[in-house]
Amino acid sequence: MSVEVRGLNVAIDGRPIVRDVDLTVGDGERVGLIGSSGSGKSMIARAMLGLLPRGAEVSGSVLLGGTEVVGAAERDLADLRGRYVGVVFQNPGASLNPVSTVARQIALPLRLHYDLTRAEREERVMAMLAKVGLDESVAGRYPHELSGGQQQRVGIAAALVTSPRFIIADEPTTALDSIIQRQITDLLVSLVDDAGASMLFITHDFSVLARATTRCAVIDDGRVADRGATADLLAAPSTPEARELVESARRLTLDPTLETR
Amino acid sequence: MRFIAHRLLLFAAALFGVSVLVFVALRILPGDVAAVMAGTAATPDRIAALRAQFGLDRPLVVQYLDWAGGLLRGDLGTSALTGRAVVAQVGQRASLTFPLILMSLAVALAIGLPLGCASVLARGRRMRGFLHVVAIVGGAVPALWSGLLLILLFSRGTGLIGIFPSQGFPSEGWRDFGRALASLVLPSVATGIVAGAGIMRYTRAAVGDLVDGGAIDMAMACGMTRTQAVLRVGLRLATPQLVSVVGLTFAQMITGVMVVESLFALPGLGALLIGDVGNRDLIAVQSELFLLAAFFLTLGLVIDLIHRALDPRLRIGAGSGESAARSNGGER
Amino acid sequence: MTMRNLSESCTRVFRAIWRRGSGRYALTVLGLWMAVAVVSLFWTPQPLLATDGYHVWAAPSAAHPLGTDGTGADVLSWLMAGSRTNLVIAALTVVCSGALGLLLVGLMVSRRAGLGSVTVAVVDALISIPTVLIALLLTVPFGASVGVIVGACSIAYGLNLARVARPAAMLAARSDYVGSAFAGGASGWYAFTRHVVPNIAPVLAVQLSISAGTSVLAEAGLTYLGVGVGAGVPSWGHSLATSVKFINVFPLTVLWPGLVVTLAVVALNLLGDALVRVGEEVAR
């Protein structure tokens, strides 16, 4: 599914957070958004999903496979989410429902959007668990009984169980340590590519970005500061903002204490 | 399991503590219990007779053990005034007071939960402000006053729209079910409104906090609308907290319940207790106070256990960190 | 914290409350309440003890704007004088429940683990005992009085305060700077007053203002039940209880004492609300 963002503006309580952002994600393409925290990149993703907080004002246009999201009715947006668009959140420990089992959470999008029998649902959930590399025994457990990496695998399973055509991954690895970060990034990329879906990958970490995306946009203070092929931007950042982010990413990846943790 | 054992032990200790407290409070009176019970005009003979009758001439420890032993056997003593067993008196009055409390709680939940959720979901600034005012004002009304206003509005005889009885309880009790129920409507609404405003505030706070958390976002990302996510996920996640709140509301409502019992001339537990305190029927007061305190301690215990059962993070094994720390402390 | 710092931050908090509409209402009503209490010391429309045998249960008139009660005493004068009693009860409840709450919090975060967990257990067990039962227990030996109301409210709200403030207190007590303060040889008292108390101050302020409001409601209920202020002491609860008897005589008079109570409690609750918001602003 291709995604077109044109002239997107988001203001919260009158304060502009996202300013005039244009962005395209082609069919089957993996695109990154990179920027420091507070740069407004998560708000772009939320605007695409209709998940903005109270008091937010949006203008511009977001076309998800031809459907206009900005100004759409709550019900239509809900039909879109979890069916055509899957979301992987930053902190699975906080976003997974603490009082619901892993199997129930992965099954939730199926229950909301499709009329399946119990057995069919269970079969899909188990298949999805296998795909994200989790043992079947995890199905009956609660999120707090899992490690951070396992929790994020559950998050990915819930986002992908309905085979959505577009995935938004909002800092999916930030809450994890570096070895797990790589595993989760690689898992997400391979699953998205296998399904032929497109993905918007949000991060503040260039080293993760290089593994996950082919093209990217650098967001600074709510604006697109730079854009291009991820490899080019990493090799030769053309703007000061991009240069700064690349430098800090290099420092991080070269820092031996972080690598061995 | 350790938590439950620990909590039960604590419950038993609290029961013992409260029984001692009640006993002592009634023994540090100026003058002795028999003299107070007999009244100012009593002859020394009468006082001595009372003292002998209730065993008040024995040492305090013996008296306490005798009373506590009776409590354990379910024997709460006899009222000095009516000569009836305290158990029977309390049981009869409770058959009015407990339905009244439960109806009040039902009214409170029926008001508080929907309005609390509405104030989380309200989009407009004006609507939110209005619901806020409702919560604040509703919680500031004395039960006596809400009762009076209800009488002025709805009672047969005095009210503008006279549809409900406002005085007394049918002498046949619950055998005359319709009239018994009707006589509790205004009193339970009077206390329920105030408690409902409290539940509304807590619901708004508990569910509102969750809305900023990730679980609601996740549910919406899976395909729920905001309303669905708040009602299905938010309310469920807030349930353990709300159960605790309902338990405390129960306890806070009691003053109001006793007030409306008096205002609506209902012969309930409150009237019994106040009457016995007024009449200096101290043996009865002692047992009644203990019984009520024991009831609320039990309520606290049940609420704690339900709270725990509703949250898988606190279930056996998972929450062992906290309970282990607690019992460690207790052993030292 | 020096005295000057304290008074400066008080002024700042006061201004921040005044800036909000609800806060302004709260401060205005509380100001009026205090003003009436002071005025009633020197002047009421009729002397409190002046009874008028010819005008018993009288409807409102120029001489008695809210009518008279069963002894012919002026209802408005008693209502005014009552604000004094309720002010005293509210103030004492705030002081005593605050002290009890702080004591319990101090025990809870005590570095002697046994003491801490026993206190937590006691608070957990006793929190569900209703105020009215404590009041009844106190009334039997001591008789109905202002002290019984203050005692019952202080115990009940002190327990509640301790429970509400516990998480923030625990967090502060286990933080690194308390650890390093101890490493530097600081006493438990020093760590408590310097680190724990400032951290729970916002929660404390909010809970105490709500407690003050609840004490007004409790006074009304307990006095009506005969376990509140003694007979012959003016209080809003007394006026409210008296007004009940008006219901068949002049129904509208019933409204005033209840309205006074409600407005005062609303003001104290709004003050609590405003304090929450101010606390959030300061935190930001």
Side-chain angles (χ1 to χ4, degrees):
Chain A
M1 183 158 73
S2 63
V3 179
E4 287 271 337
V5 178
R6 287 284 163 267
L8 182 69
N9 283 285
V10 180
I12 293 176
D13 296 330
R15 208 156 47 92
I17 305 288
V18 175
R19 308 159 195 239
D20 200 25
V21 166
D22 292 337
L23 191 73
T24 311
V25 183
D27 204 8
E29 197 181 15
R30 286 181 270 111
V31 173
L33 279 185
I34 186 160
S36 52
S37 57
S39 61
K41 55 194 192 308
S42 281
M43 224 30 96
I44 298 175
R46 289 181 157 267
M48 296 167 86
L49 293 160
L51 285 184
L52 288 168
R54 205 151 52 182
E57 282 168 54
V58 204
S59 63
S61 155
V62 176
L63 285 172
L64 292 183
T67 311
E68 177 59 59
V69 168
V70 175
E74 169 89 13
R75 185 67 256 172
D76 298 338
L77 283 172
D79 283 341
L80 217 59
R81 294 191 296 255
R83 185 177 199 162
Y84 302 114
V85 187
V87 190
V88 182
F89 286 102
Q90 170 173 4
N91 186 351
S95 59
L96 292 178
N97 184 339
V99 300
S100 182
T101 62
V102 165
R104 282 184 65 85
Q105 309 211 30
I106 299 177
L108 181 64
L110 291 173
R111 277 218 309 277
L112 289 170
H113 296 294
Y114 296 98
D115 249 341
L116 300 178
T117 63
R118 214 190 143 92
E120 285 170 332
R121 262 205 313 266
E122 202 162 305
E123 191 187 328
R124 292 247 204 139
V125 168
M126 288 306 170
M128 201 61 228
L129 272 179
K131 273 195 193 170
V132 296
L134 287 174
D135 192 74
E136 277 190 10
S137 66
V138 169
R141 295 219 219 143
Y142 290 95
H144 70 270
E145 299 171 301
L146 307 178
S147 71
Q150 286 174 318
Q151 285 176 344
Q152 194 55 293
R153 284 169 197 266
V154 173
I156 293 173
L160 292 172
V161 70
T162 50
S163 312
R165 307 306 301 147
F166 178 50
I167 314 292
I168 294 179
D170 186 359
E171 306 237 16
T173 60
T174 308
L176 307 169
D177 54 40
S178 57
I179 297 170
I180 312 283
Q181 275 191 5
R182 260 185 236 161
Q183 290 171 356
I184 293 290
T185 311
D186 293 348
L187 173 73
L188 196 53
V189 167
S190 74
L191 286 176
V192 168
D193 282 357
D194 286 351
S198 29
M199 174 159 76
L200 183 69
F201 194 101
I202 299 167
T203 182
H204 63 262
D205 184 350
F206 247 119
S207 59
V208 173
L209 195 70
R211 294 179 95 85
T213 65
T214 50
R215 264 188 333 114
C216 72
V218 179
I219 307 291
D220 185 59
D221 197 18
R223 288 194 183 82
V224 176
D226 200 354
R227 64 172 93 221
T230 309
D232 295 348
L233 265 178
L234 259 181
S238 56
T239 59
E241 295 86 8
R243 211 167 294 136
E244 206 170 294
L245 283 162
V246 171
E247 280 309 311
S248 67
R250 284 228 179 86
R251 272 200 305 278
L252 279 175
T253 31
L254 292 178
D255 187 343
T257 55
L258 276 174
E259 275 296 288
T260 51
R261 191 165 57 164
Chain B
M1 267 350 250
R2 259 184 105 173
F3 167 78
I4 295 175
H6 191 248
R7 190 65 182 78
L8 281 174
L9 202 70
L10 174 62
F11 173 68
L15 272 188
F16 171 72
V18 165
S19 74
V20 172
L21 220 63
V22 168
F23 184 83
V24 169
L26 295 179
R27 291 298 183 283
I28 55 170
L29 286 161
D32 75 330
V33 178
V36 173
M37 283 170 72
T40 41
T43 60
D45 286 352
R46 168 91 182 111
I47 294 174
L50 265 178
R51 202 173 282 151
Q53 186 190 342
F54 291 105
L56 296 171
D57 42 5
R58 295 171 300 167
L60 284 180
V61 177
V62 176
Q63 286 185 42
Y64 173 76
L65 289 177
D66 186 39
W67 176 62
L71 290 179
L72 288 176
R73 290 192 307 274
D75 171 16
L76 303 183
T78 34
S79 159
L81 206 68
T82 62
R84 290 182 58 201
V86 173
V87 178
Q89 279 189 342
V90 168
Q92 191 203 352
R93 301 301 188 99
S95 76
L96 185 156
T97 299
F98 277 86
L100 175 57
I101 294 177
L102 290 178
M103 281 170 72
S104 307
L105 206 57
V107 171
L109 286 172
I111 295 172
L113 282 181
L115 287 182
C117 291
S119 37
V120 172
L121 287 168
R123 287 239 171 222
R125 196 171 261 275
R126 214 171 268 175
M127 190 64 195
R128 281 212 302 279
F130 171 72
L131 288 169
H132 189 65
V133 170
V134 168
I136 292 267
V137 174
V141 177
L144 184 57
W145 202 46
S146 59
L148 276 173
L149 293 180
L150 287 173
I151 289 179
L152 285 178
L153 287 175
F154 298 114
S155 80
R156 262 185 229 138
T158 348
L160 288 175
I161 318 161
I163 40 177
F164 290 109
S166 69
Q167 292 294 303
F169 194 67
S171 49
E172 303 87 32
W174 287 100
R175 281 190 302 274
D176 190 349
F177 187 79
R179 275 181 58 210
L181 199 66
S183 68
L184 295 186
V185 169
L186 291 185
S188 58
V189 171
T191 39
I193 289 175
V194 187
I199 290 183
M200 176 181 172
R201 277 202 303 274
Y202 281 112
T203 307
R204 189 190 57 195
V207 178
D209 280 352
L210 289 164
V211 169
D212 300 330
I216 299 272
D217 277 348
M218 179 80 180
M220 286 176 76
C222 286
M224 286 191 194
T225 60
R226 192 182 154 80
T227 310
Q228 278 177 320
V230 166
L231 294 183
R232 283 167 63 176
V233 178
L235 214 48
R236 170 64 187 86
L237 286 180
T239 303
Q241 250 176 300
L242 290 179
V243 167
S244 298
V245 168
V246 168
L248 285 181
T249 306
F250 211 113
Q252 285 161 0
M253 259 180 3
I254 296 306
T255 314
V257 166
M258 288 170 79
V259 166
V260 295
E261 272 183 6
S262 168
L263 180 64
F264 289 85
L266 299 170
L269 273 180
L272 176 71
L273 197 52
I274 297 293
D276 286 345
V277 169
N279 293 326
R280 296 296 186 181
D281 189 348
L282 295 182
I283 302 297
V285 168
Q286 181 174 310
S287 291
E288 286 159 6
L289 276 181
F290 173 77
L291 213 58
L292 276 177
F295 169 75
F296 284 105
L297 288 175
T298 315
L299 184 75
L301 174 75
V302 171
I303 294 290
D304 266 13
L305 294 181
I306 294 181
H307 184 125
R308 213 166 170 84
L310 282 173
D311 192 337
R313 284 166 296 186
L314 297 177
R315 269 182 220 156
I316 307 136
S320 57
E322 190 203 13
S323 56
R326 275 181 169 188
S327 42
N328 263 340
E331 277 156 20
R332 245 178 255 173
Chain C
M1 200 183 282
T2 64
M3 266 339 259
R4 219 175 117 222
N5 269 339
L6 192 69
S7 78
E8 260 172 28
S9 54
C10 280
T11 322
R12 242 189 23 240
V13 167
F14 186 86
R15 286 215 182 106
I17 294 172
W18 183 257
R19 270 201 303 274
R20 324 183 152 273
S22 56
R24 201 168 296 182
Y25 165 83
L27 293 177
T28 309
V29 170
L30 294 180
L32 264 176
W33 180 0
M34 286 179 210
V36 169
V38 171
V39 167
S40 76
L41 277 175
F42 308 104
W43 177 83
T44 49
Q46 304 281 336
L48 281 189
L49 297 177
T51 52
D52 182 347
Y54 294 106
H55 296 97
V56 176
W57 298 122
S61 62
H64 304 287
L66 297 183
T68 61
D69 68 9
T71 62
D74 182 50
V75 169
L76 177 62
S77 303
W78 276 72
L79 196 58
M80 283 176 67
S83 54
R84 227 154 55 204
T85 313
N86 280 88
L87 196 60
V88 169
I89 291 175
L92 285 178
T93 300
V94 165
V95 171
C96 298
S97 70
L100 178 64
L102 275 179
L103 173 71
L104 290 171
V105 167
L107 291 175
M108 279 173 175
V109 301
S110 139
R111 291 177 82 78
R112 286 174 44 200
L115 196 58
S117 57
V118 165
T119 313
V120 171
V122 168
V123 171
D124 277 353
L126 294 184
I127 193 105
S128 59
I129 302 283
T131 318
V132 66
L133 283 194
I134 305 175
L136 278 171
L137 199 64
L138 294 174
T139 315
V140 175
F142 303 118
S145 70
V146 168
V148 166
I149 299 176
V150 171
C153 289
S154 302
I155 293 172
Y157 308 158
L159 287 168
N160 190 42
L161 183 64
R163 190 169 192 170
V164 174
R166 184 169 78 199
M170 286 289 191
L171 217 61
R174 285 176 189 163
S175 64
D176 289 343
Y177 49 76
V178 170
S180 56
F182 272 110
S187 67
W189 173 251
Y190 177 88
F192 183 68
T193 50
R194 280 303 170 91
H195 296 297
V196 177
V197 173
N199 270 295
I200 60 173
V203 186
L204 216 61
V206 173
Q207 284 298 315
L208 287 178
S209 88
I210 292 171
S211 294
T214 319
S215 82
V216 176
L217 288 177
E219 188 274 326
L222 293 175
T223 300
Y224 177 69
L225 290 174
V227 289
V229 303
V233 178
S235 78
W236 289 343
H238 174 95
S239 296
L240 195 53
T242 309
S243 78
V244 173
K245 295 167 187 154
F246 267 98
I247 197 151
N248 293 314
V249 189
F250 196 76
L252 281 183
T253 320
V254 166
L255 299 178
W256 299 112
L259 198 62
V260 168
V261 170
T262 304
L263 290 178
V265 179
V266 165
L268 285 165
N269 286 352
L270 285 179
L271 182 69
D273 256 27
L275 283 169
V276 176
R277 301 282 164 77
V278 170
E280 278 168 2
E281 266 170 29
V282 171
R284 239 183 255 146

